[in-house]
Amino acid sequence: MKRTLLLLAALVLSVPAAFAQSWDGPQWAVVNSSSCFLRLKPDYESGNESQALMGTVLRVKGAERYWRQVDAPDYRDVWTTELNVAFMDEAGKDAWIAAPKYICVAEYTHLYAEPSLAAARVCDFTLGDLVRREAAPRCGWVRVSRPSGQACWAREEDVQELEAWLQSRVATREQLIATARRFLGTPYMWGGASVKHFDCSGFTQFVYRQCGIVLPRNAREQIHTGEEIPYDFDLMQPGDLIFYGTPATARKPMVVAHVAMYCGDRKIIHSSQVVRISSLTPDGEDYYEREPLGVRRILGHVDDGSGIRSVLTRPWYY
C-alpha cells in the first residue's frame, strides 16, 4: 500500500505542465521585450521551443505562478513569463494590430527614456522588433511606445515604418545569401529565433522573413514546403534548403534533424554551433559530411498553398 501511494505521488508530481490553472485574465498578450522564450513547461529548466519577437501577438490560455501558457503563431501550449508580455483584451489586441508601427532594422540597439544616447535605456531592441509609432521623426529621433504603452525613443536610423518595410522586401537568391551572411558567427541555441542566437530552422525562417517570405518554424515542417529538387550541384540554386536526418524505413518515419541553406559553389550556410559556411565536398574547408535527406526550393512558391506565405498576405507576427 505504501509503495502504491508513493507511486501515485510521483505520478502527480510528474503531471505535465499542460494541466495549467485556468486563466480568467485578459485573453491576449503581446510580447513586450525584445524577444521572449517559449518553453515546454513553466520552468526555467524546461526545454526552449522557440522565441517570439517584440510585437508578437499571443493568446493566453493558462497560468502557473508567474508563468503564462500561450499559443504563439508557430506553437501551441507553450510558456513564457508574465513580465515579458503586455496583457490585452480583444479590443486592445485589435488596436495593437491596427496601430501604425515601426520595425527595428538595426541588428542590436536600445530604446531610450529620452531622445539622447545619454538617457536611461528602457530595453534592448533587436532586428524585427515592432513598436507603435507615436510621432514623426525629430532631430534624428522618433517617439514610440512598446506594446505595454510605455513611451520611449528610438534612433531614427534604427527603425523603418512597417508598411514601407513590408513593401520593400525583395526575395532573390542574391538577397537571401547576403542576408544570411549578415549573421555569420551568431551562436547556436536550441529554440533560438532572433539575432541573439539561432537554431538551424530558426535561422532559415528568420533569413527568409527578412526577405519577405514566411516559412514554418521547424525543419520537419519546412521540408514539406516549396518544390522538391534533386541533390545535384548542377540543379541546386542559392537559397534552396537542404535537409539532414534519418530516412524513413518500413518501421520508422523520417526524422528531420537539421536544415541548411545552399549558397552556391558547393557550400551551405547554416546554424550549427554558430552560423557558419561549410563545404559540401571533402576537400573543402569545414566539410559537412552528413548525408542529405532532400532539397526544397522556396523561391517561386510563395502563396501557392505549399505552406509558404508572403509577409504581405500574413498578418505580421499574428
Side-chain angles (χ1 to χ4, degrees), residues 30-37 51-56 58 80-86 111 122-126 128-131 146-148 150 196 317:
V30 178
V31 177
N32 198 50
S33 53
S34 62
S35 62
C36 72
F37 294 115
Q51 291 175 292
L53 299 180
M54 182 186 292
T56 305
L58 309 172
T80 192
T81 52
E82 61 185 2
L83 295 185
N84 274 307
V85 299
L111 297 175
V122 173
C123 65
D124 63 343
F125 191 44
T126 62
D129 287 345
L130 299 178
V131 288
R146 299 166 73 191
S148 63
Q150 180 183 17
K196 298 177 184 179
Y317 294 167

Side-chain angles (χ1 to χ4, degrees), residues 9 13 30 36 81 91 99 104 110-111 118 136 210 253 257 285 301 308 310:
L13 290 173
V30 178
C36 72
T81 52
C104 182
H110 291 85
L111 297 175
Q210 283 292 303
E285 185 177 353
H301 298 279
I308 306 165
S310 165

Side-chain angles (χ1 to χ4, degrees), residues 101-106 125-131 158-162 165 210 316-317:
K101 300 182 187 71
Y102 282 117
I103 185 168
C104 182
V105 294
F125 191 44
T126 62
L127 187 64
D129 287 345
L130 299 178
V131 288
D158 291 340
V159 297
Q160 185 177 357
E161 290 188 12
L162 178 59
W165 185 90
Q210 283 292 303
W316 194 244
Y317 294 167

Side-chain angles (χ1 to χ4, degrees), residues 34-84:
S34 62
S35 62
C36 72
F37 294 115
L38 301 174
R39 299 185 183 275
L40 289 172
K41 297 179 181 180
D43 188 327
Y44 280 114
E45 295 184 0
S46 174
N48 178 45
E49 284 295 282
S50 191
Q51 291 175 292
L53 299 180
M54 182 186 292
T56 305
V57 177
L58 309 172
R59 183 189 292 273
V60 186
K61 303 172 66 176
E64 177 70 31
R65 297 172 293 143
Y66 51 83
W67 294 85
R68 296 295 178 266
Q69 187 182 44
V70 300
D71 285 345
D74 298 303
Y75 279 94
R76 298 292 180 266
D77 299 324
V78 287
W79 295 83
T80 192
T81 52
E82 61 185 2
L83 295 185
N84 274 307

Side-chain angles (χ1 to χ4, degrees), residues 22 30 58 63 121 149 155 163 198 218 260 282 304 314:
S22 61
V30 178
L58 309 172
R121 291 176 174 179
R155 293 191 302 173
E163 285 304 316
F198 292 113
N218 286 311
D304 68 352
R314 175 176 173 174

Side-chain angles (χ1 to χ4, degrees), residues 53-285:
L53 299 180
M54 182 186 292
T56 305
V57 177
L58 309 172
R59 183 189 292 273
V60 186
K61 303 172 66 176
E64 177 70 31
R65 297 172 293 143
Y66 51 83
W67 294 85
R68 296 295 178 266
Q69 187 182 44
V70 300
D71 285 345
D74 298 303
Y75 279 94
R76 298 292 180 266
D77 299 324
V78 287
W79 295 83
T80 192
T81 52
E82 61 185 2
L83 295 185
N84 274 307
V85 299
F87 295 103
M88 300 181 185
D89 59 16
E90 188 82 18
K93 178 263 294 183
D94 291 343
W96 165 257
I97 292 173
K101 300 182 187 71
Y102 282 117
I103 185 168
C104 182
V105 294
E107 288 187 25
Y108 188 87
T109 184
H110 291 85
L111 297 175
Y112 295 85
E114 300 291 340
S116 168
L117 292 176
R121 291 176 174 179
V122 173
C123 65
D124 63 343
F125 191 44
T126 62
L127 187 64
D129 287 345
L130 299 178
V131 288
R132 188 182 283 107
R133 188 170 77 243
E134 298 292 354
R138 178 168 60 88
C139 300
W141 291 84
V142 291
R143 188 169 179 270
V144 301
S145 61
R146 299 166 73 191
S148 63
Q150 180 183 17
C152 44
W153 294 82
R155 293 191 302 173
E156 184 179 3
E157 66 190 61
D158 291 340
V159 297
Q160 185 177 357
E161 290 188 12
L162 178 59
E163 285 304 316
W165 185 90
L166 292 171
Q167 295 293 336
S168 68
R169 297 303 87 194
V170 176
T172 63
R173 294 193 293 270
E174 295 77 16
Q175 187 60 43
L176 284 165
I177 301 308
T179 301
R181 292 179 68 93
R182 290 178 62 183
F183 308 120
L184 285 169
T186 302
Y188 177 94
M189 185 184 71
W190 180 272
S194 74
V195 293
K196 298 177 184 179
H197 18 56
F198 292 113
D199 65 15
C200 63
S201 56
F203 173 65
T204 52
Q205 185 196 47
F206 194 92
V207 169
Y208 265 93
R209 191 166 62 197
Q210 283 292 303
C211 295
I213 295 174
V214 182
L215 296 180
R217 173 62 180 86
N218 286 311
R220 63 179 178 269
E221 299 166 325
Q222 293 177 8
I223 197 171
H224 298 295
T225 62
E227 175 189 1
E228 185 175 6
I229 300 295
Y231 184 77
D232 184 326
F233 294 128
D234 291 330
L235 298 176
M236 293 189 299
Q237 297 177 357
D240 290 347
L241 299 183
I242 304 178
F243 297 87
Y244 300 87
T246 306
T249 66
R251 294 187 176 183
K252 294 183 179 180
M254 174 179 66
V255 176
V256 183
H258 189 60
V259 59
M261 182 181 294
Y262 187 62
C263 54
D265 197 26
R266 304 191 178 196
K267 296 177 181 178
I268 54 173
I269 184 167
H270 58 145
S271 182
S272 176
Q273 300 185 57
V274 297
V275 175
R276 70 187 208 258
I277 293 175
S278 299
S279 172
L280 295 177
T281 55
D283 57 345
E285 185 177 353

